[in-house]
């Protein structure tokens, strides 16, 4: 068990102020918040732990040479690809993430997107705004096929919620396994091309790795059903946006719901904004009311494991993530 008072550097977005909810650690550790080099550089020299709340930051790599005492980096996100760089990948520094915290909220968002398409809510809102009474029929999703790409905790929760609205769910992951309670059979990644033609809904919940970057390209879209919809709540670069627009233009798929993008924020001139067959959200599928406090509570639990001499939960396999 640690006998001296550890130092924790919290890397926040520039101008965002201190991350909330970490006050309970003040009796156990020195917690220093910062969002720029001037505020963090002095602390990082002897900080054993860095908490990254600004997942798009480049500051961590810039200050890496000063991090002589660093033993552990915790990312307040499920994906850690944005903070991974070669020096970190090959180091002995532990990396943990917020795995498990956003699962239900993201699965709710995916189901919401599926039902928004199936029940044609865009037209419903337009008719309501125009005060027009127009009876019409919409889809039922019962019995349709949901293919979840990425069978981690988020993907499995999507499968569970999908089955709750009557979808038949299956999954794709790096390793195959049978008898999963949420996804039934989980197929190996090599089976994806053969599975795409059978899927009515394809939900991407995979991390960004060297294997998943650009996974949904022109060839993948050509394999999908003309009536299928793609939902991406994983990472933007898993989907080639130009190829997606082409697939929509040519009727190769029927629609897409996107929470993540190759470029964020999505430029206001991008053609995706004006498409009726696309639903866009601003990288917020998992952000429920109270999520910041929940992230702090999770880190405090992990910190107390670490301070008791245990390996903290939610360890990330760094070579697997590196892109």
């Amino acid at each position: 068990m640690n006998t001296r008072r550890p130092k924790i550097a919290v890397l926040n977005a520039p101008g965002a102020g201190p991350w909330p909810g970490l006050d309970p650690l003040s009796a156990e550790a020195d917690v220093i918040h910062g969002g720029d080099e001037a505020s963090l550089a002095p602390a990082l020299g002897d900080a054993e732990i860095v908490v990254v709340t600004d997942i798009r930051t480049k500051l961590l790599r810039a200050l890496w040479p000063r991090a002589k005492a660093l033993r552990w980096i915790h990312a307040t996100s499920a994906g850690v690809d944005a903070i991974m760089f070669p020096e970190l990948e090959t180091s002995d520094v532990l990396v943990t993430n917020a795995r498990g915290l956003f699962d239900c909220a993201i699965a709710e968002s995916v189901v919401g997107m599926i039902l928004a398409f199936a029940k044609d809510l865009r037209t419903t809102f337009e008719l309501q705004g125009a005060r027009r009474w127009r009876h019409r029929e919409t889809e039922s999703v019962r019995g349709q096929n949901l293919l979840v790409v990425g069978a981690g905790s988020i993907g499995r929760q999507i499968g569970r919620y999908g089955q709750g609205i009557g979808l038949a769910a299956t999954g794709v992951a790096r390793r195959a396994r049978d008898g999963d309670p949420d996804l039934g059979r989980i197929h190996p990644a090599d089976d994806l091309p053969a599975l795409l033609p059978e899927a009515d809904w394809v939900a991407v919940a995979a991390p960004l790795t060297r294997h998943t970057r650009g996974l949904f390209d022109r060839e993948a879209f050509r394999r999908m059903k003309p009536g299928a919809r793609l939902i991406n709540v994983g990472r933007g670069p898993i989907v080639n946006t130009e190829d997606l627009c082409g697939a929509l233009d040519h009727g190769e798929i029927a629609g897409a719901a996107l929470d993540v993008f190759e470029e964020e924020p999505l430029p206001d001139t991008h053609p995706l904004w004006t498409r009726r067959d696309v639903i866009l959200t601003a990288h917020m599928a998992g952000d429920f009311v109270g999520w910041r406090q929940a992230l702090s509570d999770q880190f405090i639990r992990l910190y107390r494991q670490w301070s008791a001499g245990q390996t903290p939960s939610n360890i990330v396999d760094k070579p697997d993530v590196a892109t």
Side-chain angles (χ1 to χ4, degrees), residues 2-315:
N2 293 331
T3 57
R4 70 181 185 83
R5 191 176 173 89
K7 181 177 285 187
I8 303 171
V10 183
L11 201 168
N12 300 315
W19 186 264
L22 296 177
D23 293 344
L25 291 180
S26 60
E28 307 169 43
D30 294 327
V31 182
I32 298 94
H33 295 261
D36 54 33
E37 185 168 352
S39 59
L40 275 178
L44 208 56
D46 57 352
E48 294 179 76
I49 304 168
V50 169
V51 179
V52 181
T53 69
D54 177 17
I55 199 63
R56 296 179 183 86
T57 184
K58 304 298 181 186
L59 189 56
L60 183 61
R61 185 173 192 180
L63 294 177
W64 179 259
R66 303 186 187 218
K68 303 299 185 183
L70 188 60
R71 298 170 56 192
W72 170 24
I73 294 172
H74 176 71
T76 58
S77 62
V80 298
D81 53 274
I83 64 166
M84 198 62 62
F85 49 90
E87 296 90 340
L88 173 57
E89 180 189 348
T90 57
S91 74
D92 293 329
V93 175
L94 294 176
V95 176
T96 57
N97 66 357
R99 185 167 63 247
L101 195 70
F102 300 108
D103 297 1
C104 290
I106 292 175
E108 289 166 357
S109 293
V110 170
V111 168
M113 292 169 177
I114 290 172
L115 293 177
F117 273 125
K119 299 307 173 186
D120 191 21
L121 293 185
R122 183 187 295 275
T123 300
T124 296
F125 296 147
E126 290 171 349
L127 291 172
Q128 179 179 338
R131 303 187 184 191
R132 293 179 57 196
W133 182 279
R134 193 180 85 195
H135 182 270
R136 66 197 201 282
E137 297 176 349
T138 60
E139 293 178 55
S140 172
V141 301
R142 186 170 183 80
Q144 293 185 349
N145 293 323
L146 168 64
L147 175 62
V148 182
V149 180
S153 61
I154 293 173
R156 295 180 67 244
Q157 192 73 27
I158 292 170
R160 186 178 306 145
Y161 280 31
Q163 291 188 64
I165 60 170
L167 293 165
T170 191
V172 174
R174 287 186 305 134
R175 301 181 186 89
R177 60 182 186 268
D178 290 321
D180 186 271
D182 303 307
L183 292 170
R185 184 183 178 195
I186 296 175
H187 299 260
D190 289 346
D191 285 359
L192 179 62
L195 294 168
L196 286 175
E198 303 302 318
D200 300 289
W201 306 92
V202 179
V204 180
L208 180 62
T209 71
R210 59 175 63 92
H211 305 294
T212 62
R213 183 180 291 274
L215 183 64
F216 280 84
D217 57 7
R218 185 178 182 184
E219 182 60 31
F221 291 125
R222 284 179 171 174
R223 290 180 178 274
M224 290 175 66
K225 285 184 178 181
R229 281 93 163 199
L230 175 79
I231 300 169
N232 188 9
V233 291
R235 280 291 181 260
I238 295 175
V239 175
N240 183 305
T241 307
E242 183 177 353
D243 290 353
L244 170 63
C245 289
L248 292 166
D249 286 340
H250 294 105
E252 292 170 343
I253 64 172
L258 308 170
D259 184 59
V260 290
F261 306 87
E262 289 181 285
E263 181 182 359
E264 295 184 7
L266 186 69
D268 59 9
T269 57
H270 200 285
L272 284 173
W273 283 110
T274 57
R275 298 198 67 109
R276 288 184 54 82
D277 51 6
V278 173
I279 299 172
L280 306 180
T281 53
H283 203 146
M284 54 182 276
D287 292 348
F288 54 90
V289 174
W291 63 275
R292 290 178 178 84
Q293 182 62 54
L295 284 170
S296 293
D297 293 343
Q298 181 186 54
F299 172 69
I300 290 170
R301 289 194 298 272
L302 298 181
Y303 172 79
R304 288 180 175 153
Q305 292 175 348
W306 179 85
S307 64
Q310 304 169 14
T311 300
S313 307
N314 286 20
I315 293 287

